[in-house]
Amino acid sequence: MTLPTEAEVLSWFEKLSNWGRWGPDDRLGTLNLITASTRVAASRLVSEGHVVSLAWDVDTTPQRDQTYGPPRRFFVTTGQGLADEHRIDPHGNPDNRMNGALEYLGYVFHGYSVTHLDALSHVFWDRKMYNGVPAELVSSSHGATAHDVTAVKGGVITRGILVDVPAFRGVDWLEPGDPVTATEVRAILAAQGTEVHSGDALLLRTGYGKRRAMQGPDDVRALGRAGWHASCAPLFHELGVSLIGADTAQDVVPSGYDSVVIPVHTLGLVAMGLYMIDNMNLEELSAKCASAGRHTFELVVSTIPFLGATGSPVNPLAVF
Amino acid sequence: MTLPTEAEVLSWFEKLSNWGRWGPDDRLGTLNLITASTRVAASRLVSEGHVVSLAWDVDTTPQRDQTYGPPRRFFVTTGQGLADEHRIDPHGNPDNRMNGALEYLGYVFHGYSVTHLDALSHVFWDRKMYNGVPAELVSSSHGATAHDVTAVKGGVITRGILVDVPAFRGVDWLEPGDPVTATEVRAILAAQGTEVHSGDALLLRTGYGKRRAMQGPDDVRALGRAGWHASCAPLFHELGVSLIGADTAQDVVPSGYDSVVIPVHTLGLVAMGLYMIDNMNLEELSAKCASAGRHTFELVVSTIPFLGATGSPVNPLAVF
Amino acid sequence: MTLPTEAEVLSWFEKLSNWGRWGPDDRLGTLNLITASTRVAASRLVSEGHVVSLAWDVDTTPQRDQTYGPPRRFFVTTGQGLADEHRIDPHGNPDNRMNGALEYLGYVFHGYSVTHLDALSHVFWDRKMYNGVPAELVSSSHGATAHDVTAVKGGVITRGILVDVPAFRGVDWLEPGDPVTATEVRAILAAQGTEVHSGDALLLRTGYGKRRAMQGPDDVRALGRAGWHASCAPLFHELGVSLIGADTAQDVVPSGYDSVVIPVHTLGLVAMGLYMIDNMNLEELSAKCASAGRHTFELVVSTIPFLGATGSPVNPLAVF
Amino acid sequence: MTLPTEAEVLSWFEKLSNWGRWGPDDRLGTLNLITASTRVAASRLVSEGHVVSLAWDVDTTPQRDQTYGPPRRFFVTTGQGLADEHRIDPHGNPDNRMNGALEYLGYVFHGYSVTHLDALSHVFWDRKMYNGVPAELVSSSHGATAHDVTAVKGGVITRGILVDVPAFRGVDWLEPGDPVTATEVRAILAAQGTEVHSGDALLLRTGYGKRRAMQGPDDVRALGRAGWHASCAPLFHELGVSLIGADTAQDVVPSGYDSVVIPVHTLGLVAMGLYMIDNMNLEELSAKCASAGRHTFELVVSTIPFLGATGSPVNPLAVF
């Protein structure tokens, strides 16, 4: 395959654009491709009643790939010292048989470690979000006053398809910086015997989860990361993909395109209105698909509807 | 119905106990009642492909019912000032066509406003959690080293049943402090024509969501709150309920039992290992059940697997 | 006194301007008026060795005047449960005789409750800070890259003067919205027998501290607040005041000038480079000045040098 | 010098104890040694009007010695985008000439990077704080309900003495793990010609600041750190030292005493009631003392009176 030139990639901001396709006020983008019958059909993929979580645990331990600092977990009340002589009961409860624990959780979920969904307010191109909404509507005082994550409050239920690159190539994992092109995605789908329907979700496994477990997290800025090549954007458009996911942050790093550093994020979120889930855990899913002899399943994604937020931590479920 | 005495309620810590029922190391409690075939059957309830979100938006605006302070949302980068003359690009990107926004989110999800699931580490009785685990294993330094929310990383997929009290009584909502007894729950289920199976989830609508929308949030400590009466605990046990939820924080406040202030929480989480979802939004669900002529649906709950946490904000989905 | 017109107040942005007065790169503004000999002279005011703190306690209890939410204090380790049977020592210390407690503190110090110093990056006029620095140099990603609080890392040591309005008027406190004009400030200084020297700090007591203690905190946005009238700005300029402080947030609210809502803040910080300390506790100081028969003392202000911050919580000390 | 045995060090918990010395309710500990006349005398050391800040900047950049994570600085409003076409004014101010910036600051100040004062609630020995107060009075719900930092709200003003070890030894800095014994402290004081009076503060310079600037921060847990040897505790007691400080976290690491890992902290805070300032910047002070030909100066320490906190970030000032 001849890789597209920088000019070609830039031309896709118009060619792949979904601006106006579902009306001027649309907030759902490619999730519009999921219809009621898509959901019913997805539910019919459930034959075993077996669930696979596609999220990593959120971990407060400092890690090299927590770009925006470690998640914090601060307890307000705990189970410690309930028998302490001088204990002050938080609720003024004298006999003190009932007690509880609760905590504050705070973190930046974007970046390279937490499994999360990007809302359409997360990325801008030429000062615009999807559907031409001005970038400045995402402000420090008011948050994302347009395209915040509450747009997907109804969740995502559709058919999920695993694109398992290491299984196809017969390797443990892809090395940092290794791109997965549209040509290879087509070849993998064919080899897997998977036909993509409009509204399906495509999940890319590069094996980073296995690599991280074996070799530890690394610094994406220094080493790069495997991921979708820019050439996949027209493929997503052609196939009618509703949602993409990956066990990295989608884009191969470096992308090879200086003027549009992360083309899958930028073309996807801004031009196409394509929601995406970064940093998924696809290891158990890979094993399950192999043993089940199929790479399709019901995918259920539920987001926390935090007003004004540009995305949400998620725990997507694959149901077989 | 004669309401149970305090001594009876206290006796239920033994009578309703599931300690050891699923082994000494069990972390799932009543979720063990959900089997693979429960999940397959639940998926077969999906006939329309229609989804109803059962969560409230997480709102940073200070509210009277945010017991532990308002959720915070702090942006690290925004879409503001992208054309500012003296702008310093966070990524040192000179041409500046691609930009992004991201934020820190921090909050205590427990309490009376955020829709959330309680893990089994949230409540203690006599310095013990479910299955006899010492309360002190939940500490400020290490978090919940037992029974943290990652136990339910696989989510909850089962049949959900709405118990719609205002619809049954023909009122807009229940007033603060109004209990829903086991007798009334049975009557509502009968009136709705709903038979409970082992593994089902029961969701209690008191109409608080409507009341809050009309009259504003109020202070539960001052006014009380409608909810399940303690007498429902043996009912949950008898019926094999896997999970409960409510549009309040489960327990009627005040509960009427001085020595066990919130008996549904305490008996449920500690004795029974019964997971529960507080502060659900059941308004749209109530309308949907009425129009669909059924009070059963597929319920999907996905939790954020934050290590050491005593629960998770959630956005449960009811699928018809 | 005839109060100045809006046009007059606006003209002061030029007339009172100190831009360029101490060089194009100056960060100290009116603190340049404090010389080495000012400091030596201030130290000579110490005759009794008596210290008065001019700060309020920072309180995590929600209060009506915490504009940006209550301060948070989250403990990481505590002194609880040190004898718990199943305790996990944070340091893996087996004999466990030595233990410690530590915490995370997080808050917005600006607003109407915490005693704090405003740095010159806190306020903009026509998109400029003091000395013509572009406002956009204060960004969410990088913080205040100009005029941050580290400019005053060397602290402020000078002669402080209390301007005690309630004592002068013979009242307990000034009501919300009551202005203190330049004419009254001159009269109070004369009545107190206090002559102002270049480099002195002027501290305004409106009695709000007493009012707050008696009647509770109130909402400045609803009720207004007593404070300096705009007419004081030229007076500060004429007298060579290095720093101002008040037991409110300086400006009388409402100020009476629609186009420059808080003129003392805006003229002071932007045009004059005048640092200011909001929300001081001047109650004990008032009593001490009365009993000592003098309204002058050594004032010592030390700021936390947080890089990129627009100010600092402070605990100013008045030394007699 | 023969170093004290572990048994000797343990015996000092009784021998050096100040429990009860200033009454059963005392919160000031050795700060009681500072009298009004101490303060007057300290002010008389001011002859030049020259101030040296003894704090490091608080830096949000992740560093190896931030034991409890990097400080966070989150802006709520900034100076960015004030000319943006679609800007939403936070105050609904239409003409928009006045604007402002403000931020949330959040951090754990204890540890090895931020300059801070330890309050007497920071460390426990045998489940007790200074004066026999139970450790469990420091709880996650209520904070330090005894010996919190508001005890020193009046600040510390006294004579400071620099103990400049690298200058004495003729080296750039002390290597990690190098102890400064009582014998050497006496020798340095003699060489500097400094006689210690009751109420003085002793500040130890190991040169770590210079080392950190040249070689970067390192991990104290892996490498150790230079500091006071345990043998200094009786010396402090004998000399009547009111406060100690250091450019490290006081104790040499490792201390050489397994059963009392950080003896200076533990004996000081618990037995003696000796307040201490960790992680000071003593580099400029060292140069100033050398050029001024004296190692004594007025020391002014002002703490932020955060209720329930176990200490405070500080910016101590040395005034010459």
Side-chain angles (χ1 to χ4, degrees), chain C residues 288-302:
Chain C
K288 176 64 189 171
C289 286
S291 69
R294 58 167 163 133
H295 290 77
T296 57
F297 42 84
E298 184 188 34
L299 176 71
V300 185
V301 184
S302 161

Side-chain angles (χ1 to χ4, degrees), chain A residues 68-69 72 75-78 84-88 90 127 134 136-137 140-142 145, chain D residues 68-69 72 75-78 84-88 90 127 134 136-137 140-142 145:
Chain A
Y68 303 100
R72 308 303 302 249
F75 272 77
V76 177
T77 59
T78 72
D84 283 345
E85 184 185 352
H86 303 278
R87 181 170 181 278
I88 306 169
R127 306 177 56 197
E136 61 221 56
L137 294 186
S140 51
S141 296
H142 303 283
T145 57
Chain D
Y68 303 99
R72 305 305 300 249
F75 272 77
V76 178
T77 59
T78 71
D84 283 347
E85 185 185 351
H86 303 278
R87 182 171 181 277
I88 305 169
R127 304 178 57 198
E136 63 221 54
L137 294 186
S140 52
S141 296
H142 304 283
T145 57

Side-chain angles (χ1 to χ4, degrees), chain A residues 32-45:
Chain A
N32 284 292
L33 299 170
I34 301 175
T35 63
S37 59
T38 312
R39 289 190 199 98
V40 174
S43 74
R44 292 304 172 267
L45 295 170

Side-chain angles (χ1 to χ4, degrees), chain D residues 195-259:
Chain D
E195 194 181 337
V196 179
H197 308 149
S198 173
D200 284 348
L202 284 196
L203 309 183
L204 176 72
R205 179 173 174 261
T206 70
Y208 176 67
K210 193 171 192 175
R211 188 176 186 279
R212 191 182 193 278
M214 303 290 285
Q215 305 194 346
D218 55 40
D219 182 351
V220 63
R221 294 179 178 178
L223 280 192
R225 194 65 51 95
W228 305 107
H229 184 266
S231 58
C232 297
L235 181 67
F236 301 149
H237 195 67
E238 174 196 330
L239 297 174
V241 170
S242 61
L243 175 86
I244 58 172
D247 58 0
T248 62
Q250 316 300 335
D251 280 278
V252 63
V253 177
S255 71
Y257 300 95
D258 285 350
S259 63

Side-chain angles (χ1 to χ4, degrees), chain D residues 170-311:
Chain D
V171 298
D172 277 340
W173 58 69
L174 275 61
E175 292 301 324
D178 195 352
V180 180
T181 62
T183 307
E184 188 174 20
V185 172
R186 286 187 198 273
I188 294 170
L189 290 169
Q192 290 178 172
T194 321
E195 194 181 337
V196 179
H197 308 149
S198 173
D200 284 348
L202 284 196
L203 309 183
L204 176 72
R205 179 173 174 261
T206 70
Y208 176 67
K210 193 171 192 175
R211 188 176 186 279
R212 191 182 193 278
M214 303 290 285
Q215 305 194 346
D218 55 40
D219 182 351
V220 63
R221 294 179 178 178
L223 280 192
R225 194 65 51 95
W228 305 107
H229 184 266
S231 58
C232 297
L235 181 67
F236 301 149
H237 195 67
E238 174 196 330
L239 297 174
V241 170
S242 61
L243 175 86
I244 58 172
D247 58 0
T248 62
Q250 316 300 335
D251 280 278
V252 63
V253 177
S255 71
Y257 300 95
D258 285 350
S259 63
V260 46
V261 185
I262 44 171
V264 174
H265 264 80
T266 315
L267 287 162
L269 291 168
V270 182
M272 300 166 68
L274 176 63
Y275 284 84
M276 49 192 72
I277 302 177
D278 294 349
N279 312 315
M280 300 180 84
N281 175 358
L282 302 177
E283 294 308 298
E284 185 183 340
L285 180 65
S286 170
K288 177 64 190 171
C289 286
S291 69
R294 57 168 164 132
H295 290 76
T296 56
F297 42 85
E298 183 188 34
L299 176 71
V300 185
V301 184
S302 161
T303 56
I304 308 302
F306 200 116
L307 278 168
T310 67

Side-chain angles (χ1 to χ4, degrees), chain C residues 21-93:
Chain C
R21 178 174 173 186
W22 295 289
D25 298 329
D26 180 55
R27 304 170 69 195
L28 286 174
T30 52
L31 294 179
N32 283 292
L33 299 170
I34 301 174
T35 63
S37 59
T38 313
R39 290 189 199 99
V40 175
S43 74
R44 292 306 171 268
L45 295 171
V46 178
S47 56
E48 303 176 32
H50 181 82
V51 185
V52 179
S53 160
L54 308 183
W56 296 107
D57 289 349
V58 181
D59 191 347
T60 59
T61 313
Q63 309 279 349
R64 197 184 293 264
D65 50 5
Q66 292 158 339
T67 321
Y68 303 100
R72 308 303 301 248
R73 183 195 61 221
F74 296 125
F75 272 77
V76 177
T77 59
T78 71
Q80 296 178 282
L82 299 177
D84 282 346
E85 184 185 353
H86 303 279
R87 182 171 180 278
I88 306 168
D89 189 90
H91 305 288
N93 188 4

Side-chain angles (χ1 to χ4, degrees), chain B residues 135-278:
Chain B
E136 62 221 55
L137 294 186
V138 184
S139 70
S140 52
S141 295
H142 304 283
T145 58
H147 289 323
D148 79 351
V149 75
T150 65
V152 285
K153 193 170 171 177
V156 179
I157 298 180
T158 193
R159 189 170 75 139
I161 297 175
L162 178 66
V163 179
D164 195 337
V165 191
F168 175 75
R169 294 196 193 173
V171 299
D172 277 339
W173 57 70
L174 277 61
E175 293 301 323
D178 194 351
V180 181
T181 63
T183 306
E184 186 173 22
V185 171
R186 285 186 198 273
I188 294 171
L189 291 169
Q192 291 179 170
T194 321
E195 193 181 339
V196 180
H197 307 150
S198 172
D200 284 348
L202 284 196
L203 309 183
L204 176 72
R205 177 170 175 263
T206 69
Y208 175 68
K210 192 171 192 176
R211 188 175 187 278
R212 190 182 193 276
M214 302 291 283
Q215 305 195 345
D218 55 40
D219 182 351
V220 63
R221 295 180 177 176
L223 281 193
R225 192 67 50 97
W228 305 106
H229 183 266
S231 57
C232 297
L235 181 67
F236 301 148
H237 195 67
E238 174 195 330
L239 297 174
V241 170
S242 61
L243 175 85
I244 57 171
D247 59 0
T248 62
Q250 316 301 334
D251 279 278
V252 62
V253 177
S255 71
Y257 300 95
D258 284 351
S259 62
V260 45
V261 184
I262 44 173
V264 174
H265 264 82
T266 315
L267 286 162
L269 291 168
V270 181
M272 300 166 68
L274 176 64
Y275 285 84
M276 48 191 74
I277 303 178
D278 294 348

